[in-house]
Amino acid sequence: MSCRVKVNMGWSDFSLMWTKKTSYAEAIMLPADKIWTPGLALDNAIDATSKPYTDDVVVTSFGSVSHAVILLIAVSCDIKLFTYPFVSGQCLVAINGWKNGDCGIVLFYPRTVTTSGGTLSGEWMTENVEIAKEDDMENRKYLLVTLSINPFSAVVTLILPSALIMLADLVSFSLPIQGGERNNLKVTLMLSLTMFILILNDRLPSGGECTPLLHYHFCFCLVNLVLSMVTSLVLTHLLTSDSFMASTCLKRIRRQNAQLDQNEDAGMKKQSSGSAKASLQKIVNFLENVEQKEQVANSKEAFVNYLDKFCFCFFCFLTSFTLSLLLLSQEQTCAKLKRYISGIMSLIP
């Protein structure tokens, strides 16, 4: 977290006191680099830059000095992103006086802190800033910054598209297996989800102790789409080619045709006068073979349609079950989602 902190300091320097015998002025301006100013220590800062707010300080006749400095601080925050984008956490900014043994500067913090600006980087927002202190050291205090993420951007650009892609994959089962329209749609959906995974990797860190749950969600969606596409290809292959279920019937029909051809050839040799009857019998056998082939094709189509309905029910159950686990895995996520939805509904007239 990078922040800009303006520290208004006040202290008493008895060496700068004067009386009315010296001057009737109640306050004067002195250069900040000509007098002593307290040094600040940033205990947990990764990078820090300090510069005076003004080049002058105000000194009163009682020796009270008023001075302000600007601190540009970058600190490391350990915030768990498991429930991204419904994430909130706290970050510490320890501003204290330098101390070396028993010698040092003790800072007395005010009771309140004034904040200006709430957006840190894109979707991060500052909810609250308060002053806290360590239990074991009374004089060591720090700024406790509460951060949160605005989930609207992640919901619109990541969660909602992935849910719509999974819904479109389930709807694609209504398309006919023949023709390849279903397979083309599933390939397009898989490529679209891959694009959203790349966007997710750009927005979230890939490593860390706590991997965001949204990574697992997109991984499941990708595996689900691949399985759905492979299932659709297998069903198309079973419908358009001779499958192992119909091979036995086809072999039986071929054997019957061969036996009938042999019988017809033998009858033609023995009885030349019955050629008309043999021709008629051949036509009848041909029609029976066509009918048997149609029955085999219809049974194969019915079997494929049954498998298609079973796969549709299976993927519906799998998608619903996984999305339910995604929402119910963290009570905090559900509570924040309900608050966010209620906040949106309250804005609707």
Side-chain angles (χ1 to χ4, degrees):
M1 180 189 69
S2 299
C3 57
R4 178 181 181 271
V5 182
K6 179 185 177 183
V7 182
N8 296 314
M9 298 182 294
W11 67 93
S12 296
D13 191 344
F14 297 104
S15 63
L16 299 178
M17 295 177 56
W18 70 88
T19 60
K20 292 184 178 180
K21 296 180 179 180
T22 305
S23 174
Y24 287 98
E26 296 182 356
I28 59 174
M29 303 286 292
L30 296 177
D33 56 349
K34 299 298 183 181
I35 63 173
W36 177 89
T37 56
L40 300 179
L42 305 174
D43 299 335
N44 64 333
I46 299 176
D47 186 18
T49 303
S50 176
K51 60 181 181 180
Y53 184 69
T54 59
D55 295 333
D56 300 323
V57 296
V58 179
V59 182
T60 64
S61 60
F62 300 101
S64 299
V65 184
S66 300
H67 183 46
V69 295
I70 300 296
L71 301 178
L72 304 177
I73 309 172
V75 296
S76 177
C77 305
D78 186 13
I79 298 178
K80 303 299 183 182
L81 298 178
F82 181 73
T83 58
Y84 178 87
F86 305 98
V87 176
S88 63
Q90 294 179 337
C91 196
L92 305 180
V93 181
I95 304 176
N96 291 283
W98 65 269
K99 188 175 183 180
N100 186 6
D102 297 333
C103 182
I105 298 176
V106 178
L107 297 184
F108 296 94
Y109 275 73
R111 295 183 178 180
T112 58
V113 179
T114 304
T115 60
S116 61
T119 302
L120 294 180
S121 177
E123 55 191 4
W124 286 94
M125 299 182 301
T126 304
E127 290 187 352
N128 185 29
V129 179
E130 59 183 359
I131 299 174
K133 64 179 181 179
E134 298 180 358
D135 296 334
D136 55 345
M137 301 180 65
E138 184 178 357
N139 294 328
R140 308 297 289 181
K141 296 182 179 181
Y142 50 83
L143 300 179
L144 186 62
V145 184
T146 304
L147 306 175
S148 65
I149 292 180
N150 184 6
F152 179 77
S153 177
V155 169
V156 172
T157 59
L158 293 175
I159 299 179
L160 182 61
S162 64
L164 294 178
I165 288 175
M166 299 305 298
L167 179 62
D169 179 68
L170 294 178
V171 174
S172 65
F173 281 93
S174 62
L175 296 176
I177 303 177
Q178 304 90 342
E181 290 85 359
R182 181 191 293 188
N183 299 332
N184 294 333
L185 178 59
K186 289 183 179 297
V187 172
T188 303
L189 293 176
M190 186 180 65
L191 294 177
S192 301
L193 185 67
T194 304
M195 181 189 66
F196 285 106
I197 291 177
L198 295 177
I199 297 176
L200 178 65
N201 291 331
D202 293 336
R203 298 183 63 167
L204 288 180
S206 58
E209 298 180 357
C210 185
T211 303
L213 189 62
L214 204 58
H215 278 162
Y216 297 101
H217 166 69
F218 273 89
C219 181
F220 160 76
C221 292
L222 183 61
V223 172
N224 194 6
L225 286 178
V226 172
L227 291 178
S228 178
M229 182 184 64
V230 172
T231 302
S232 180
L233 292 175
V234 171
L235 293 178
T236 304
H237 178 72
L238 291 177
L239 187 62
T240 56
S241 62
D242 294 338
S243 63
F244 66 93
M245 298 294 294
S247 60
T248 305
C249 297
L250 293 176
K251 289 180 180 179
R252 180 167 54 84
I253 292 174
R254 293 192 183 98
R255 286 197 301 267
Q256 292 178 357
N257 292 335
Q259 186 176 2
L260 290 174
D261 291 339
Q262 292 177 0
N263 295 333
E264 289 174 2
D265 293 339
M268 290 293 291
K269 293 178 181 179
K270 292 180 180 179
Q271 298 179 358
S272 60
S273 60
S275 59
K277 184 178 179 179
S279 300
L280 183 60
Q281 184 66 30
K282 191 173 182 179
I283 293 174
V284 173
N285 294 333
F286 174 76
L287 294 177
E288 290 179 353
N289 293 335
V290 171
E291 184 178 0
Q292 290 180 357
K293 290 181 180 179
E294 289 181 356
Q295 291 178 357
V296 171
N298 292 333
S299 62
K300 182 171 61 174
E301 184 177 357
F303 176 71
V304 172
N305 290 332
Y306 174 77
L307 288 179
D308 189 34
K309 293 180 181 178
F310 174 78
C311 294
F312 171 73
C313 296
F314 173 75
F315 282 109
C316 283
F317 171 77
L318 187 62
T319 303
S320 302
F321 179 74
T322 308
L323 291 179
S324 300
L325 290 180
L326 178 66
L327 294 177
L328 298 178
S329 59
Q330 289 286 331
E331 296 181 357
Q332 183 181 6
T333 304
C334 297
K336 289 186 178 181
L337 181 60
K338 291 179 181 179
R339 290 198 302 267
Y340 181 70
I341 294 176
S342 61
I344 295 178
M345 296 301 295
S346 63
L347 298 177
I348 300 177

